[in-house]
Amino acid sequence: MVSILKKIFLLSALFGTHLGICQNIPHLQKKGNKTQLIVNQNPFLIRGGELGNSSATSMESMEPIWSRLTDMNLNTVLTPVYWELIEPEEGKFDFNLVDDLILRARKENLKLVFLWFGSWKNSMSSHTPAWVKRNQKKYPRVKDDKNKSHEILTPFSENNLQADLNAFKKLMAHIKDFDQKEQTVIMIQVENEIGMLPTARDYHSLANEAFQKPVPNELIKYLEKNKEKLVPEFLEIWKKNGFKTKGNWEEIFGKGLHTDEIFMAWYFSKFTNQVAKAGKDVYPIPMFVNAALNAPEKKPGQYPSAGPLPHLMDVWKAAGNAIDFLSPDFYNPSFKQWNDLFTRQGNPLFIPEHKFDETAPFKGLYAIGHYEAIGFSPFSIESVADAKKEPLGKIYNLIEQLTPTIENYKGQGKMDGVLLDKENNTQIIKIGDYEFTFKHDYTLNWSDGAKAEIWPMSSAIIIEIAKDEFYVSGSGIVVTFKPLKENLNAGILKTDQGIFENEKWKTIRHFNGDQTHQGRHLRIAVGDYEIQKIKLYTYE
């Protein structure tokens, strides 16, 4: 009996110690029905920017960039870590650039999300070391259906896996030793925009052999267990072929490009999960993968086939749980549509890459308000002429002020966001006891620019902080309201414009006159970036 109790005590102590370590490093946790990123034991909302692919290849190239980042109110920089630079010779590692980036980020009070440019970057294997590229026999590449090799490492090779896995494990061990106390590095993206080109699947002999083998039991078990939860487009493929559970890939899913893509998705995900797990075994901070989005008219192979896309979400999840979530990279205007797809099955939303255009700041605010995203990050963030004048910095300033409130009410059904333009100029939200109608500022006839052919994008976030009381923040919006309860009217008791100082609200101006159209609406004009606090009341 004493021996058994001793074992229980030791296991409990070990588990408790491990749990304590996990809680004291960056990690994800549930808050209501959403997910928070926790850094230094506090919720952290990423106001990010991703560097261009070559900007962080030396500290000299980075020197003029740091001030632009802080001038735009970023708190996080997404930057590549290049396999070819950290392991220029097999087994010989150089982490000087990694250390320099971490030290300078600390100096600028910035966090880092490292993007592991390992086996794949935008499908290709462009950042693998020379000793990998030159030894095709040991580190084989994919082949297309004409038996032509491409500069893409095949995921079917154990040598390819072990080389990548070993380098990533060394990187994570170094980050742990160098940064665990400070927590400058808060997440890792494993690989970059994985996908198969120019055919839907790999035709290397190793791949052909795997294609004829039975579908792995691990995937079949996942399908059976989660049959009622599978994303509809994937469920339909399995259903169309009779929900079979025994056979090879074509026997289970039928013949066609869709099966080629499912097959590749399994092996890409299996490979990437093994790499991520090896890194997490050393230092288990959050890890994610990102996807290049496919266009509806394109077929697998015309876009990077088998990447971590929404219609393949179940395949990626079935292959392992070392990857915490899937993320979209946006060079596609269908922002709401894709985010709706990526947030199925409780997948947390983080947007690591968005084209740095005039819409990006407003989409970022909307993602944080409506989807309660972990964060947002435009690409090539350093490519600005005057960082202090960028709308992104003004939106990020609002988000920075509101972050404690956002994180406090996350996952509670008390927050939402709107995204408006000329074609979609009205959005209705029900929150608390009210229905809010948000319209683009230019819907007001007297607004400057109302007759313009193209309206600038606008957005806002609304948070219920008490009964009848809300923060509304953003740019270019007009808000009216009515009670959800019939036979009642709504009026404004008080509207204040203000700021947060040391996380406490400070009123700058009290409205209720012309600024609210004599109590008819709340307005933040195009070109203005404000937080307003509104208290409503009802009357018969």
Side-chain angles (χ1 to χ4, degrees):
M1 176 63 75
V2 174
S3 178
I4 292 173
L5 290 173
K6 185 177 180 181
K7 286 180 181 179
I8 292 172
F9 174 78
L10 290 172
L11 286 170
S12 299
L14 180 62
F15 180 77
T17 301
H18 176 72
L19 184 63
I21 291 171
C22 288
Q23 293 300 309
N24 288 322
I25 64 174
H27 63 278
L28 301 174
Q29 74 175 22
K30 294 294 288 185
K31 177 77 184 291
N33 61 359
K34 298 297 180 181
T35 299
Q36 289 179 311
L37 172 63
I38 306 298
V39 179
N40 297 116
Q41 301 188 57
N42 291 304
F44 190 86
L45 183 56
I46 292 176
R47 307 188 309 274
E50 181 176 334
L51 296 172
N53 294 326
S54 300
S55 294
T57 50
S58 73
M59 291 310 291
E60 288 75 18
S61 63
M62 281 294 298
E63 187 56 39
I65 292 173
W66 294 104
S67 62
R68 297 178 213 167
L69 307 179
T70 53
D71 283 348
M72 285 185 283
N73 295 307
L74 272 70
N75 65 1
T76 307
V77 187
L78 282 70
T79 179
V81 172
Y82 316 88
W83 185 6
E84 60 182 330
L85 295 187
I86 70 165
E87 193 182 6
E89 296 181 51
E90 187 173 4
K92 295 182 179 179
F93 291 90
D94 181 353
F95 294 111
N96 285 326
L97 180 57
V98 171
D99 294 349
D100 288 343
L101 286 167
I102 292 173
L103 290 171
R104 185 56 184 269
R106 286 178 192 166
K107 184 179 178 182
E108 302 294 340
N109 197 28
L110 292 166
K111 299 297 185 183
L112 295 173
V113 173
F114 279 146
L115 318 176
W116 173 235
F117 283 11
S119 290
W120 301 294
K121 191 270 173 191
N122 293 48
S123 300
M124 310 304 288
S125 298
S126 52
H127 288 282
T128 55
W131 52 269
V132 171
K133 290 181 178 179
R134 287 175 173 159
N135 194 347
Q136 189 176 348
K137 185 175 181 180
K138 185 175 182 180
Y139 304 108
R141 304 172 181 203
V142 303
K143 290 182 180 289
D144 63 23
D145 55 354
K146 296 178 176 60
N147 203 38
K148 179 183 176 182
S149 294
H150 293 266
E151 196 165 351
I152 305 173
L153 293 179
T154 177
F156 297 90
S157 164
E158 185 66 21
N159 286 339
N160 289 348
L161 171 63
Q162 291 303 320
D164 188 330
L165 184 152
N166 182 62
F168 187 68
K169 189 164 59 172
K170 294 284 188 183
L171 171 66
M172 294 308 299
H174 184 79
I175 293 171
K176 178 184 179 182
D177 291 342
F178 195 79
D179 189 56
Q180 181 174 344
K181 182 179 178 182
E182 297 286 342
Q183 297 185 33
T184 312
V185 181
I186 58 174
M187 286 202 300
I188 304 288
Q189 178 185 287
V190 188
E191 315 296 347
N192 186 83
E193 292 189 358
I194 298 165
M196 177 66 196
L197 294 169
T199 49
R201 78 166 179 88
D202 184 3
Y203 288 85
H204 190 282
S205 59
L206 292 170
N208 290 339
E209 183 182 347
F211 193 64
Q212 297 305 322
K213 288 182 178 179
V215 173
N217 195 44
E218 192 177 351
L219 176 55
I220 297 298
K221 283 185 176 179
Y222 178 94
L223 298 184
E224 292 178 314
K225 181 180 178 181
N226 297 280
K227 188 174 180 180
E228 303 304 318
K229 304 176 188 175
L230 301 176
V231 296
E233 52 271 46
F234 181 64
L235 178 66
E236 185 60 29
I237 290 172
W238 190 31
K239 177 183 177 182
K240 189 175 180 180
N241 214 45
F243 292 123
K244 294 178 183 175
T245 57
K246 291 184 179 179
N248 64 26
W249 294 89
E250 290 187 333
E251 289 168 340
I252 297 288
F253 299 111
K255 291 186 178 183
L257 292 177
H258 64 279
T259 294
D260 291 348
E261 184 174 39
I262 291 168
F263 165 72
M264 284 303 297
W266 173 261
Y267 283 97
F268 273 136
S269 180
K270 200 68 186 168
F271 184 112
T272 310
N273 262 286
Q274 287 176 271
V275 172
K277 183 181 183 304
K280 278 191 168 184
D281 284 346
V282 175
Y283 188 42
I285 64 175
M287 297 188 186
F288 66 96
V289 288
N290 62 328
L293 305 183
N294 55 306
E297 68 276 8
K298 300 293 185 182
K299 296 178 181 179
Q302 294 176 330
Y303 65 81
S305 173
L309 289 157
H311 67 284
L312 300 167
M313 180 179 286
D314 290 299
V315 184
W316 275 82
K317 290 172 73 172
N321 60 6
I323 295 167
D324 291 296
F325 54 87
L326 318 181
S327 290
D329 284 356
F330 273 102
Y331 298 88
N332 183 306
S334 302
F335 192 70
K336 295 181 181 180
Q337 173 194 340
W338 280 103
N339 286 326
D340 287 345
L341 294 174
F342 267 93
T343 51
R344 292 182 298 185
Q345 299 183 353
N347 185 59
L349 183 63
F350 174 57
I351 300 171
E353 189 171 332
H354 189 289
K355 184 179 180 181
F356 196 6
D357 59 15
E358 65 276 5
T359 72
F362 307 98
K363 289 177 179 174
L365 181 61
Y366 173 69
I368 288 167
H370 180 66
Y371 298 99
E372 303 184 40
I374 289 171
F376 181 80
S377 171
F379 177 69
S380 193
I381 191 69
E382 71 277 26
S383 60
V384 293
D386 189 344
K388 290 184 178 180
K389 293 182 178 179
E390 282 294 317
L392 180 71
K394 297 172 183 179
I395 289 290
Y396 274 180
N397 174 259
L398 300 178
I399 293 171
E400 179 180 13
Q401 293 183 62
L402 285 167
T403 289
T405 307
I406 290 169
E407 293 301 321
N408 184 45
Y409 291 102
K410 180 166 279 187
Q412 311 300 312
K414 295 181 178 291
M415 179 164 40
D416 210 335
V418 298
L419 187 65
L420 306 170
D421 56 23
K422 190 170 187 178
E423 291 70 33
N424 303 282
N425 59 39
T426 303
Q427 190 174 333
I428 295 173
I429 285 174
K430 293 179 181 179
I431 190 167
D433 296 328
Y434 298 89
E435 178 182 284
F436 293 85
T437 299
F438 284 77
K439 292 188 176 183
H440 195 287
D441 180 41
Y442 284 2
T443 57
L444 296 177
N445 292 330
W446 65 80
S447 293
D448 295 336
K451 295 181 180 179
E453 185 176 342
I454 298 175
W455 292 0
M457 186 165 280
S458 65
S459 67
I461 182 173
I462 180 169
I463 308 169
E464 181 188 19
I465 56 171
K467 181 175 173 55
D468 302 330
E469 197 165 5
F470 307 83
Y471 289 126
V472 178
S473 181
S475 180
I477 51 102
V478 179
V479 192
T480 56
F481 27 81
K482 68 177 184 179
L484 294 175
K485 190 174 181 180
E486 294 183 2
N487 303 318
L488 286 178
N489 300 298
I492 296 175
L493 275 181
K494 191 178 183 183
T495 306
D496 293 332
Q497 179 196 357
I499 58 173
F500 284 91
E501 288 185 347
N502 299 317
E503 299 187 10
K504 291 186 177 180
W505 176 256
K506 178 180 179 181
T507 297
I508 303 299
R509 289 196 299 168
H510 174 60
F511 293 153
N512 276 23
D514 292 342
Q515 289 79 19
T516 65
H517 200 200
Q518 285 66 52
R520 295 184 181 94
H521 67 218
L522 178 152
R523 180 190 179 200
I524 304 174
V526 168
D528 291 337
Y529 300 83
E530 299 176 2
I531 306 172
Q532 293 189 24
K533 184 178 182 182
I534 186 168
K535 189 170 181 64
L536 303 176
Y537 76 105
T538 59
Y539 61 94
E540 294 181 358

